[in-house]
């Protein structure tokens, strides 16, 4: 049962970018120092607000990539084609710049190490971000519940955190990783590129009892994945979804 | 106002004296919706106009299509701040639909497939200010933009141009609609920037 | 946008009004009686206001409008909200 702490009303804070890390040619991680950050849970997000000199402002939500407990906050931003905010965050913003944000937000799409049950994480594109926070949170805690990540991307070079996920699949006990390549599969991949299907999601076996499912990504992907799981017998009540919108985010 | 973000300009906002205050110009046609898109078949579609006195009058699709039609080009202004110039529509004027209707009502309430409602003074539906539009940009009006037919009242914010219009009631007393009862301005004149209550 | 988002989208907006996260609050849909957390609702975030609908029957459970200096909230679609608080 989710425990709600009584918090103050949410207000805007200013963080400072201390570091940026390229994840792919079109995505990067922003490392932020946010004084008075009250902490967060894996799966939560922040609202980011940009203001132009004439007062025009634009606001978007970004999932927190860093696990709870660090001194810095990390956001991973995918640059969207017709983006208004994402190109600024993914290209213009530089170390030393301020960034206005508020959070943490969202108690629904959250996993904490206190949850003992097995978990199925299903990510489409940049939907991996909040799920990565969960994987990182698990690694930093004593929780060893089985975690299975199914990560759907267009191609291998579009995958975020690829190296880290490969490491963790080797060293985080109980973490399983499966990729789905929808446009082009890497050399040596046993099979053609293709969309997510029930076989990959279920790995040919029913999910262990008590499995919690988190699905995150563009709307179409989330709907497809959720429907596949429900058709395969997963109880809809055990599935939590976070749709990013039709393009994978508001541009 | 928040802290200024170095190097952020946002969408291009060319100042234009044809834009109402606070608006910016777009070239696409954003879709805003309060719910799933209603799917209305032309076989069952009906438009009803009801005065506070006397019988309501209704048109099925064939009868509606037989009415005089107009091609108009208008500017659209959405309360979420985007404006779109020069949008081409085809529709039936409310003057045609109201012709000969006996009423002392001063107000109107549009009701839509899907449940949406919006209110406006009856005077704002008359005199070439309003249409029931069913074609946009030389094609049938798409469901996501209000097809088969929507109300079009371009001199007010676009939330008054009710999509999937089904019925218009003429009323003696004003009845706030879906958004007008939750903070949006009862009249909604973009040129006086009447977005919210009290503006 | 016509497709809906998930209830979590309500979280930021309503955290401006409430000191608890409302998406984990539970309630009952007035129209069909389905109970659940607000996080499970289907949200149309820019309608121009925000509209949340029941995941079972699609009727409206919550509506929210944010002006620069005011906000309006309509919860008539929920019988009541139950919010967990620390003891």
């Amino acid at each position: 049962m989710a425990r709600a702490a009584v918090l103050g009303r949410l207000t805007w804070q200013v963080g400072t970018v201390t570091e940026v890390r390229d994840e792919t040619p079109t995505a990067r991680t922003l490392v932020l120092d946010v004084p008075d950050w009250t902490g967060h849970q894996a799966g939560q997000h922040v609202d980011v607000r940009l203001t132009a000199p004439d007062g025009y402002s634009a606001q978007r939500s970004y999932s927190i990539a860093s696990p709870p407990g660090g001194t810095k906050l990390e956001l991973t931003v995918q640059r969207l084609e017709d983006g208004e905010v994402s190109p600024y965050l993914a290209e213009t913003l530089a170390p030393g710049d301020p960034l206005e944000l508020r959070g943490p937000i969202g108690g629904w799409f959250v996993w904490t190490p206190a949850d003992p049950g097995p978990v199925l994480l299903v990510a489409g594109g940049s939907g991996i971000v909040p799920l990565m926070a969960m994987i990182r949170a698990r690694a930093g805690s004593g929780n060893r519940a089985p975690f299975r990540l199914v990560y759907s991307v267009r191609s291998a070079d579009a995958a975020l955190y690829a190296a880290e996920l490969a490491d963790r699949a080797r060293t985080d006990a109980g973490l399983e990783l499966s990729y789905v390549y929808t446009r082009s599969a890497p050399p040596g991949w046993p099979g053609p590129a293709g969309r997510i299907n029930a076989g990959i999601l279920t790995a040919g076996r029913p999910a262990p009892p008590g499995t919690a499912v988190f699905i995150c990504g563009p709307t179409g992907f989330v709907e497809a994945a959720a429907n596949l799981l429900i058709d395969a017998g997963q109880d809809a009540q055990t599935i939590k979804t976070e749709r990013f919108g039709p393009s994978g985010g508001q541009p | 106002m928040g802290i200024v973000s170095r190097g952020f300009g946002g969408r291009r906002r060319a100042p234009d004296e044809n834009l109402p205050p606070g608006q910016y110009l777009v070239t696409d046609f954003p879709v805003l919706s309060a719910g799933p898109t209603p799917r209305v078949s032309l076989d069952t579609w009906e438009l009803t106009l009801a005065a506070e006195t006397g019988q309501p009058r209704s048109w099925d699709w064939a009868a509606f299509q037989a009415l005089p039609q107009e091609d108009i080009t208008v500017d659209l202004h959405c309360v979420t701040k985007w404006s779109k110039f020069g949008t081409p529509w085809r529709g039936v004027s409310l003057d045609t639909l109201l012709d000969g209707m006996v009423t002392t009502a001063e107000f109107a309430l549009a009701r839509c497939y899907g449940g949406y409602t919006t209110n406006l003074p009856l005077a704002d539906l008359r005199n070439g200010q309003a249409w029931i539009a069913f074609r946009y940009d030389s094609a049938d009006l798409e469901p996501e933009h209000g097809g088969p037919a929507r109300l079009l009242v371009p001199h007010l914010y676009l939330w008054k141009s009710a999509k999937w219009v089904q019925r218009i009631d003429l009323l003696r007393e004003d009845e706030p609609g879906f958004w007008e009862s939750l903070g949006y301005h009862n009249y909604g004149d973009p040129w006086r920037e009447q977005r919210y209550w009290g503006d | 946008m016509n497709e809906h988002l998930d209830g979590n989208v309500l979280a930021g907006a309503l955290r401006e009004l409430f000191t608890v996260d409302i998406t984990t609050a539970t309630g009952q849909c007035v129209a069909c009686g389905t109970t659940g957390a607000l996080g499970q609702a289907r949200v149309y975030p820019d309608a121009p206001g925000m509209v949340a609908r029941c995941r079972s029957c699609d009727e409206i459970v919550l509506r929210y409008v944010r002006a620069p200096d005011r906000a309006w909230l309509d919860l008539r679609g929920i019988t009541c909200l139950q919010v967990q608080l620390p003891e």
Side-chain angles (χ1 to χ4, degrees):
Chain A
M1 173 112 63
R3 180 176 50 83
V6 176
L7 312 156
R9 267 191 297 277
L10 201 59
T11 53
W12 291 99
Q13 303 177 75
V14 180
T16 305
V17 180
T18 60
E19 192 191 326
V20 299
R21 261 194 331 261
D22 288 338
E23 300 286 352
T24 70
T26 54
R28 67 178 189 175
T29 291
L30 307 174
V31 183
L32 299 159
D33 179 30
V34 187
D36 312 322
W37 184 248
T38 53
H40 67 280
Q41 295 176 310
Q44 289 191 299
H45 63 272
V46 293
D47 287 341
V48 164
R49 177 166 77 183
L50 304 179
T51 306
D54 66 356
Y56 173 88
S57 74
Q59 186 179 312
R60 302 291 186 271
S61 299
Y62 287 96
S63 293
I64 300 170
S66 45
T71 52
K72 299 268 183 8
L73 200 64
E74 293 191 4
L75 307 177
T76 302
V77 179
Q78 173 71 55
R79 186 197 191 288
L80 296 176
E81 268 298 310
D82 305 317
E84 180 181 29
V85 169
S86 64
Y88 178 81
L89 298 179
E91 292 167 352
T92 309
L93 197 62
D97 284 337
L99 186 64
E100 201 165 23
L101 54 87
R102 67 178 182 190
I105 298 170
W108 176 245
F109 194 85
V110 153
W111 179 86
T112 71
D115 300 339
V119 175
L120 173 62
L121 305 172
V122 186
S126 53
I128 183 67
V129 178
L131 307 185
M132 196 63 185
M134 295 177 186
I135 290 171
R136 289 166 168 169
R138 174 180 175 277
S141 73
N143 185 306
R144 291 294 168 262
F147 254 47
R148 183 157 174 266
L149 169 66
V150 177
Y151 186 11
S152 173
V153 289
R154 291 180 181 169
S155 58
D157 57 8
L160 300 171
Y161 317 124
E164 182 181 340
L165 282 170
D167 282 342
R168 290 192 180 282
R170 278 194 302 270
T171 61
D172 288 2
L175 174 65
E176 271 182 55
L177 173 58
S178 298
Y179 278 99
V180 175
Y181 298 106
T182 60
R183 295 255 177 102
S184 69
W189 190 250
R195 294 191 177 283
I196 199 163
N197 59 52
I200 296 166
L201 273 174
T202 62
R205 57 184 195 255
T211 295
V213 184
F214 293 92
I215 310 175
C216 186
T219 294
F221 172 83
V222 168
E223 300 223 332
N227 288 333
L228 285 168
L229 282 166
I230 291 167
D231 289 345
Q234 186 74 20
D235 178 3
Q237 290 283 78
T238 62
I239 301 175
K240 290 187 176 178
T241 56
E242 183 152 278
R243 292 162 166 82
F244 276 178
S247 59
Q250 201 188 350
Chain B
M1 176 171 138
I3 56 141
V4 172
S5 313
R6 178 195 67 81
F8 176 65
R11 287 177 218 288
R12 250 179 332 131
R13 296 178 304 291
D16 190 313
E17 68 265 22
N18 292 319
L19 278 175
Q23 300 292 106
Y24 65 86
L25 210 53
V26 299
T27 50
D28 63 344
F29 196 166
V31 174
L32 277 67
S33 186
T37 303
R39 303 282 164 183
V40 186
S41 123
L42 296 182
D43 298 333
T44 54
W45 181 91
E46 194 171 62
L47 177 68
T48 298
L49 199 50
E52 79 292 7
T53 62
Q55 293 287 345
R57 40 168 83 162
S58 293
W59 296 266
D60 63 13
W61 191 253
F64 176 67
Q65 289 292 306
L67 295 169
Q69 300 173 356
E70 293 175 23
D71 285 318
I72 52 173
T73 300
V74 299
D75 299 339
L76 306 177
H77 309 295
C78 180
V79 72
T80 62
K81 302 200 167 182
W82 60 264
S83 287
K84 190 170 172 63
F85 286 162
T87 61
W89 302 81
R90 176 174 294 175
V92 175
S93 169
L94 261 295
D95 293 315
T96 301
L97 297 169
L98 288 164
D99 188 29
M101 226 167 170
V102 176
T103 178
T104 57
E106 291 180 7
F107 303 101
L109 180 69
R111 298 177 191 276
C112 307
Y113 291 101
Y116 183 75
T117 59
T118 190
N119 62 310
L120 62 170
L122 179 53
D124 287 74
L125 286 176
R126 294 191 189 280
N127 300 315
Q129 299 184 95
W131 295 263
I132 303 294
F134 57 92
R135 278 178 76 75
Y136 171 73
D137 202 18
S138 307
D140 292 338
L141 184 60
E142 291 183 18
E144 64 175 6
H145 283 301
R150 75 181 292 167
L151 180 60
L152 185 64
V153 192
H155 70 282
L156 300 176
Y157 279 121
L158 200 58
W159 90 73
K160 298 279 184 179
S161 290
K163 295 194 274 194
W164 315 295
V165 67
Q166 182 181 22
R167 181 184 178 99
I168 299 176
D169 285 306
L170 307 185
L171 306 169
R172 285 208 191 87
E173 284 184 17
D174 199 10
E175 192 178 312
F178 189 90
W179 290 123
E180 296 84 359
S181 57
L182 194 67
Y184 282 104
H185 198 275
N186 197 52
Y187 183 62
D189 178 358
W191 297 97
R192 287 180 283 166
E193 206 164 7
Q194 294 175 337
R195 300 182 198 267
Y196 305 103
W197 289 356
D199 280 353
Chain C
M1 173 207 345
N2 182 49
E3 297 158 314
H4 67 87
L5 297 181
D6 293 296
N8 214 34
V9 159
L10 293 167
L14 296 181
R15 276 285 283 117
E16 283 193 303
L17 298 183
F18 296 107
T19 58
V20 291
D21 184 333
I22 219 75
T23 57
T24 53
T26 56
Q28 183 176 41
C29 172
V30 163
C32 76
T34 299
T35 55
L38 265 186
Q40 293 177 295
R42 301 177 163 184
V43 178
Y44 297 83
D46 191 22
M50 194 172 273
V51 175
R53 291 177 175 270
C54 175
R55 74 179 186 285
S56 294
C57 76
D58 241 357
E59 289 299 310
I60 293 174
V61 295
L62 178 156
R63 300 189 300 155
Y64 177 75
V65 172
R66 177 68 159 94
D69 60 345
R70 288 169 287 175
W72 295 265
L73 178 64
D74 173 10
L75 285 167
R76 287 173 300 167
I78 307 176
T79 54
C80 65
L81 276 178
Q82 174 178 284
V83 181
Q84 287 298 114
L85 294 172
E87 288 171 50

